[in-house]
Amino acid sequence: MTQKALAGKVALVAGATRGAGRQIAVQLGAAGATVYATGRTTREARSPMNRPETIEETAELVTAAGGTGIAVAVDHLDQDRVAALVKRIDDEQGRLDVLVNDVWGGDPLTTWNEPVWEQDLDQGFRLLRQAVDSHIVTSHFALPLLIRNPGGLVVEVGDGTTEYNSVNYRLSVFYDLAKWSVNRLAFAWSRELAGHQTTAVALTPGWLRSEMMLENYGVTEENWRDGCAREPHFAISETPAYVGRAVAALAADPDRARWNGKSVSSGELAKVYGFTDVDGSRPDAWRYLVEVQDPGKPADVTGYR
């Protein structure tokens, strides 16, 4: 992919405050795109996530990478706000080429390893609203603009491929449903967009070294391998830039329609497109999970990154 392969293209990354969404926005910007980065946390107010990262910082990183970053505060469950966002993109750019549905915010709402009768229903349903309904609301308003020009791309960002999630319970009924549903949405969009020369793909990162994950392990990106002392399988983890480069590669591929309706991982796409993580490696986390971690084998990333 050439450095400015996406020059003149316009992207909306819904849920770009931190983690995968932030780096998807940045990597699209590095390829020359204009990126609208949305989220709920701004320099003036924090979302219930209560994290320090802001959409303004994301937009600045996009611009620093070589694109044009535009921060817009949006709760993607608010239909009026989403409609206004899409109208603004239309008014300012007259087009939309890439839609990335990455809204999540469910970490503080997730209860692990507890049966449904011991879970808080309001909290669980809120998780589903944020993880699934927000993607539907955003697509409802954004897709008419996206299909105005042929060659558009929709990316649903989740956790786990369809193949993996179909045979593995994700340790919480609400989390399980959320991550299955996101992949299914990509499949649904691929059918609804048939005839509009638009591609829809479900994409999962591997073990993501997000800002929150690094804090949970008491490490920084510079010394992240120290986290392997606590959890040896952490060695397969990847930076958010890796999945960001996957989205940029998809967006720049004139033959992206070959992925339409499919569920893929950052590691799978790295093999096809040749991009790497920031350290030059190509972690293949989901193959590692199936072949090494899940069977209980000792941590060994040889041949997996």
Side-chain angles (χ1 to χ4, degrees):
M1 183 176 68
T2 60
Q3 186 176 3
K4 297 299 180 182
L6 299 180
K9 301 297 185 181
V10 179
L12 164 58
V13 181
T17 314
R18 60 186 67 84
R22 168 171 283 188
Q23 275 299 316
I24 289 170
V26 170
Q27 297 304 320
L28 288 170
T34 294
V35 184
Y36 285 78
T38 68
R40 297 176 298 171
T41 296
T42 68
R43 287 182 173 137
E44 285 70 44
R46 289 189 180 189
S47 76
M49 289 287 292
N50 195 29
R51 296 280 310 173
E53 302 86 14
T54 68
I55 55 171
E56 292 92 345
E57 292 169 353
T58 299
E60 289 166 1
L61 289 169
V62 170
T63 301
T68 301
I70 302 170
V72 187
V74 179
D75 180 337
H76 283 262
L77 287 174
D78 186 326
Q79 297 182 32
D80 291 339
R81 295 287 290 275
V82 177
L85 164 69
V86 174
K87 183 179 185 303
R88 175 178 171 180
I89 296 172
D90 192 7
D91 291 343
E92 294 178 355
Q93 311 297 333
R95 65 184 300 132
L96 180 64
D97 302 282
V98 180
L99 168 62
V100 180
N101 279 321
D102 184 57
V103 177
W104 165 233
D107 293 290
L109 299 171
T110 305
T111 301
W112 302 107
N113 297 303
E114 295 290 348
V116 68
W117 59 87
E118 294 183 6
Q119 294 213 34
D120 183 290
L121 284 178
D122 290 337
Q123 188 166 288
F125 287 133
R126 177 68 189 183
L127 183 154
L128 289 174
R129 286 270 291 147
Q130 289 187 183
V132 181
D133 292 12
S134 63
H135 292 215
I136 296 172
V137 170
T138 305
S139 298
H140 170 85
F141 290 104
L143 290 181
L145 179 57
L146 188 77
I147 63 176
R148 191 180 297 171
N149 296 299
L153 173 67
V154 184
V155 180
E156 288 284 342
V157 181
D159 177 21
T161 62
T162 296
E163 180 181 15
Y164 186 86
N165 289 349
S166 67
V167 295
N168 288 277
Y169 178 55
R170 303 307 304 277
L171 304 179
S172 164
V173 64
F174 296 107
Y175 190 91
D176 188 279
L177 281 173
K179 299 311 178 182
W180 176 263
S181 297
V182 167
N183 290 350
R184 189 66 183 181
L185 284 178
F187 177 78
W189 305 151
S190 75
R191 296 306 186 263
E192 294 193 357
L193 295 167
H196 294 283
Q197 298 182 53
T198 299
T199 299
V201 182
L203 175 62
T204 177
W207 192 336
L208 196 71
R209 292 201 302 276
S210 64
E211 299 89 347
M212 184 180 297
M213 185 63 68
L214 290 170
E215 287 185 11
N216 287 344
Y217 275 81
V219 295
T220 65
E221 184 54 39
E222 288 66 38
N223 71 339
W224 71 268
R225 290 184 183 276
D226 291 350
C228 296
R230 171 178 162 187
E231 172 47 76
H233 293 299
F234 194 53
I236 196 61
S237 63
E238 63 195 54
T239 74
Y242 196 46
V243 72
R245 291 172 177 178
V247 173
L250 282 170
D253 182 5
D255 191 29
R256 71 183 70 85
R258 58 183 152 155
W259 304 106
N260 195 34
K262 295 183 179 179
S263 167
V264 295
S265 70
S266 49
E268 289 178 85
L269 293 184
K271 293 177 183 177
V272 175
Y273 291 111
F275 62 85
T276 67
D277 205 346
V278 294
D279 63 358
S281 70
R282 291 193 180 98
D284 192 354
W286 292 99
R287 185 167 63 89
Y288 176 88
L289 198 64
V290 170
E291 298 177 4
V292 180
Q293 185 171 336
D294 285 355
K297 296 179 181 179
D300 182 0
V301 298
T302 305
Y304 295 94
R305 63 176 313 144

